[in-house]
Amino acid sequence: MEPEKVRAPNIRDVAALAGVSYQTVSRVLNDSPSIKPSTRQRVLDVIAEVGYRPNQAARALVTSRSRTIGVLSSQTAHYGPTTSVNAIEQAAREAGYRLSITSISSGDYASIKSAIDYLLSQAVEALVVIAPQVRVFDALADLSINVPYVTLESTGRDSGHSLSVDQVAGARLATKHLIDLGHTEITHISGPQDWIEADARMQGFLHEINDAELRTRAPILGDWSAHFGYYAGLELLRFRDFTAVFAGNDQMALGFMHACRESGLDVPGDISVVGFDDIPEAAHFSPPLTTVRQNFAEIGRRAVELLLSELSGGAGQNHDQIRPELVVRATTAPPAW
């Protein structure tokens, strides 16, 4: 004999236990200002006691609001985009919203349009675009998007909608730190050419080198992986005409440090290394990695704050770039020669 299934409580159950009408419960759920504080608290206490969960689809039909934010992302496991999604999800949940996430495997116009159309068909109230390639934002500019949206990119090409960590400033912090230690021969291992953040970090590196009137070295274009950092390091160390490396992310810095160990070189005794991102493992590299920290929690909070401001009729103008932070650990020191 199968056990009897327990029915989930509904809005009328809550109303009966709280001694109010189901319309009053609905008004409490929708934050109506017409409800007395004592009544609101009594309803909320019953909701917590019985474990009532509102039916989001039904609420959307009644209120014409889905309380859903759409997120367009690329298919990637890289730390930055993945952590951005997590931060946005947490900030949205705290504001009473949920996410509808779709990803694109390629950056062609048809794929991007299809992804945007899908999210809009879910009746999302707003959009966050965190796909990191330049071509995604080129295509986005041609699409008609009739809901508030924010793009997490640092090009400044869509200043009315963009929000980002200042990647150029972060790269300059890393490079200046090496210069201040006395390094004059610095190599940059960059991320992929079509990634917005990789280009911004490269530009920051080159600006700081030029301002210090040091010899400019052509950056090495990588792919964000520790694997690339390792093999690029083996090749670069064959000549070893530099004393410091600024890697475009922490994973490539890790791979480069592996190549140094295999080559019998000490970090930072022989070569200094700076990364970017401050992934959770960076403090536990051997030695702990000097890097640039991005505040992803702040990105998520600000993105959701901007969208909610626009949804409520505000201007939503707090698009100031978020400043990164240099975290000095044990992989940088004055040059040995």
Side-chain angles (χ1 to χ4, degrees), residues 32-263:
S32 171
S34 65
I35 303 297
K36 291 193 301 184
S38 59
T39 302
R40 181 188 305 277
Q41 190 58 52
R42 187 164 73 252
V43 171
L44 292 175
D45 289 343
V46 171
I47 287 173
E49 180 182 344
V50 302
Y52 172 62
R53 296 290 181 269
N55 184 313
Q56 295 292 343
R59 289 183 69 188
L61 287 173
V62 174
T63 65
S64 298
R65 295 189 62 184
S66 66
R67 300 195 71 82
T68 303
I69 296 173
V71 177
L72 174 64
S73 182
S74 61
Q75 288 185 351
T76 176
H78 292 301
Y79 179 73
T82 301
T83 310
S84 295
V85 171
N86 293 338
I88 292 164
E89 194 277 332
Q90 181 175 340
R93 188 171 64 248
E94 290 173 356
Y97 279 73
R98 57 181 177 170
L99 298 189
S100 177
I101 304 171
T102 190
S103 58
I104 51 175
S105 56
S106 65
D108 62 274
Y109 183 87
S111 296
I112 297 164
K113 184 178 186 304
S114 175
I116 293 290
D117 287 345
Y118 169 78
L119 289 171
L120 294 177
S121 74
Q122 304 300 304
V124 298
E125 295 185 28
L127 284 173
V128 181
V129 181
I130 59 175
Q133 289 89 359
V134 176
R135 59 184 179 272
V136 174
F137 297 98
D138 289 338
L140 195 65
D142 293 331
L143 297 174
S144 177
I145 300 176
N146 58 3
V147 298
Y149 71 93
V150 62
T151 64
L152 303 191
E153 54 93 12
S154 55
T155 65
R157 68 181 64 198
D158 192 3
S159 58
H161 295 281
S162 64
L163 173 67
S164 68
V165 172
D166 192 336
Q167 304 292 322
V168 173
R172 297 195 72 147
L173 284 173
T175 310
K176 187 176 187 304
H177 172 63
L178 293 170
I179 294 171
D180 288 346
L181 286 171
H183 294 278
T184 58
E185 300 293 340
I186 305 169
T187 291
H188 178 43
I189 303 176
S190 170
Q193 189 172 17
D194 65 337
W195 278 57
I196 294 169
E197 293 181 345
D199 182 69
R201 294 171 196 177
M202 184 191 305
Q203 294 305 317
F205 166 77
L206 293 172
H207 284 319
E208 199 64 36
I209 290 292
N210 289 336
D211 285 357
E213 298 182 345
L214 298 179
R215 180 161 71 99
T216 301
R217 295 165 171 268
I220 310 299
L221 298 181
D223 64 4
W224 299 128
S225 71
H227 185 78
F228 182 90
Y230 169 71
Y231 282 105
L234 291 180
E235 187 64 25
L236 288 166
L237 293 172
R238 289 175 54 201
F239 305 98
R240 200 186 156 201
D241 57 349
F242 55 93
T243 61
V245 164
F246 166 41
N249 73 344
D250 292 344
Q251 286 89 346
M252 291 193 297
L254 174 63
F256 180 82
M257 289 163 61
H258 180 192
C260 288
R261 287 194 302 273
E262 271 199 12
S263 302

